[in-house]
Amino acid sequence: MYYNFRNKKPKTTWDKNPSTGNLDVRDGSYKFVGRKVFPLGTMRNITVSLITYKDEFSPSTFHTHGEIKLFERKETSQPHIIFIFADDLGWNDISLHGSPQIPTPNIDALALNGLILHNYYTWRLCTPSRGTFLTGKYPNRLGLQHSPIKVGESSGLPLYEVTLPQHLKKLGYRTHMIGKKMAFKWHLGYQTKEYTPTYRGFDTFFGFLNGFIDYYDHTVWEPTFLPNIPHYYGLDFHNGTTILKDKQGQYATHLFTEEAENIILNHDTSKPLFLYLSHLASHTGNDFKPVQAPQK
């Protein structure tokens, strides 16, 4: 399906970036950036050929003409799975349960449009709960029934355990993890690379390996109670196995949310998606600056 268009009097004046604007065609409204066109509220793939030129009478105005090609996107019959893991979020911390302190309209909407479990059993700590989710086993079956894994601790989810993303990959899923390694935080060990997310079934990992980080500089600081090494301190922010230094100063919650949105928007829907999103929020940061949030 093709649409030819010529925009002689554009609605938008592009004095800095002539490749960005809005086009209206018969089949809907499309936003184009450079040579890519993204549908607004549709499920179509689009390619575009554009020519942009200056108005000879108004040098600050640009006109565009070209061709848009639309074609239907193939959809998988398997369900897409997005699992959001809330860290240290208490029962009474959401307005759905009557909390007057912090409104949580989006969480409430998810619950009211889904299934609410009023009776369930889970571990109250990071490492055991994440180990159970990724394997389907009780923490004591995994050797993870203790307190959360400490920074630098030589421990982790046993390598012989098969994880949920490893099972899903056999079914054709693309698997992504964001946040705490204990699951966005990972928190299931990293003594060798084989313990880390991209070796345990995840195609991509964007997050941190320990239990918490600073929301802005992404460092982890934890006392050891050892006389020769009083504390561990360092940058704990990763893209796969690469340490990220250029994200410091950016609020972690926003970074994780944006990464999740990018994965969803750019996913090939002919293949099923498994996204494991484990936010740092509402966990505290480092002890010396535990509560952090952008000014609003």
Side-chain angles (χ1 to χ4, degrees):
M1 185 184 302
Y2 292 87
Y3 289 99
N4 292 313
F5 66 91
R6 187 175 182 86
N7 192 358
K8 293 184 178 180
K9 295 182 179 180
K11 296 180 180 180
T12 304
T13 298
W14 305 297
D15 55 354
K16 293 183 179 180
N17 182 4
S19 299
T20 304
N22 293 310
L23 293 176
D24 292 318
V25 295
R26 291 181 293 168
D27 203 55
S29 180
Y30 300 88
K31 177 182 180 181
F32 68 90
V33 180
R35 299 185 65 83
K36 295 182 179 179
V37 174
F38 303 94
L40 304 179
T42 70
M43 291 299 292
R44 295 171 182 260
N45 283 334
I46 299 175
T47 59
V48 66
S49 176
L50 298 177
I51 298 176
T52 303
Y53 58 92
K54 288 185 178 181
D55 188 315
E56 59 182 314
F57 300 107
S58 177
S60 64
T61 300
F62 292 81
H63 300 314
T64 301
H65 66 85
E67 184 178 72
I68 294 178
K69 178 184 178 182
L70 298 87
F71 55 95
E72 297 298 333
R73 180 180 297 176
K74 294 181 179 179
E75 297 289 339
T76 178
S77 60
Q78 297 168 284
H80 301 296
I81 304 169
I82 300 174
F83 188 91
I84 303 174
F85 203 121
D87 198 3
D88 286 2
L89 184 68
W91 173 267
N92 287 322
D93 288 339
I94 61 174
S95 50
L96 176 69
H97 293 151
S99 172
Q101 186 176 17
I102 304 175
T104 55
N106 293 320
I107 294 177
D108 297 352
L110 286 172
L112 294 172
N113 287 281
L115 179 66
I116 302 173
L117 303 178
H118 291 291
N119 293 287
Y120 54 89
Y121 303 91
T122 184
W123 202 263
R124 66 179 181 86
L125 297 173
C126 303
T127 299
S129 58
R130 285 165 167 75
T132 293
F133 170 68
L134 288 178
T135 64
K137 295 184 177 182
Y138 288 115
N140 58 305
R141 299 283 187 181
L142 305 170
L144 298 177
Q145 71 277 10
H146 46 66
S147 62
I149 295 175
K150 303 296 183 183
V151 177
E153 182 178 341
S154 181
S155 180
L157 180 68
L159 295 179
Y160 55 77
E161 295 292 346
V162 181
T163 66
L164 174 61
Q166 288 173 322
H167 284 297
L168 291 174
K169 282 182 70 67
K170 295 178 182 178
L171 299 175
Y173 276 78
R174 288 283 295 165
T175 58
H176 304 274
M177 177 181 161
I178 303 173
K180 186 173 179 178
K181 185 201 170 190
M182 277 162 116
F184 250 55
K185 67 180 187 182
W186 177 239
H187 220 168
L188 287 172
Y190 55 88
Q191 55 186 309
T192 65
K193 66 179 185 296
E194 288 77 18
Y195 282 85
T196 58
T198 53
Y199 287 84
R200 305 307 297 268
F202 288 101
D203 294 319
T204 66
F205 168 62
F206 183 82
F208 54 106
L209 298 175
N210 291 286
F212 55 88
I213 54 172
D214 183 275
Y215 276 83
Y216 284 100
D217 68 20
H218 312 146
T219 61
V220 59
W221 181 92
E222 187 171 84
T224 65
F225 305 104
L226 299 174
N228 56 332
I229 307 176
H231 62 264
Y232 284 118
Y233 176 76
L235 180 63
D236 183 10
F237 203 75
H238 305 259
N239 185 3
T241 57
T242 301
I243 296 176
L244 294 178
K245 298 180 180 180
D246 60 348
K247 301 295 185 182
Q248 288 187 291
Q250 299 182 56
Y251 192 58
T253 301
H254 294 165
L255 288 174
F256 295 149
T257 301
E258 290 166 3
E259 182 68 14
E261 291 175 343
N262 288 334
I263 288 174
I264 293 170
L265 292 174
N266 294 307
H267 177 69
D268 178 1
T269 55
S270 67
K271 299 178 181 178
L273 168 69
F274 173 58
L275 172 58
Y276 179 25
L277 173 58
S278 176
H279 268 292
L280 171 61
S282 55
H283 200 291
T284 56
N286 292 318
D287 287 348
F288 53 83
K289 191 177 286 187
V291 182
Q292 297 172 299
Q295 294 293 327
K296 288 189 177 180

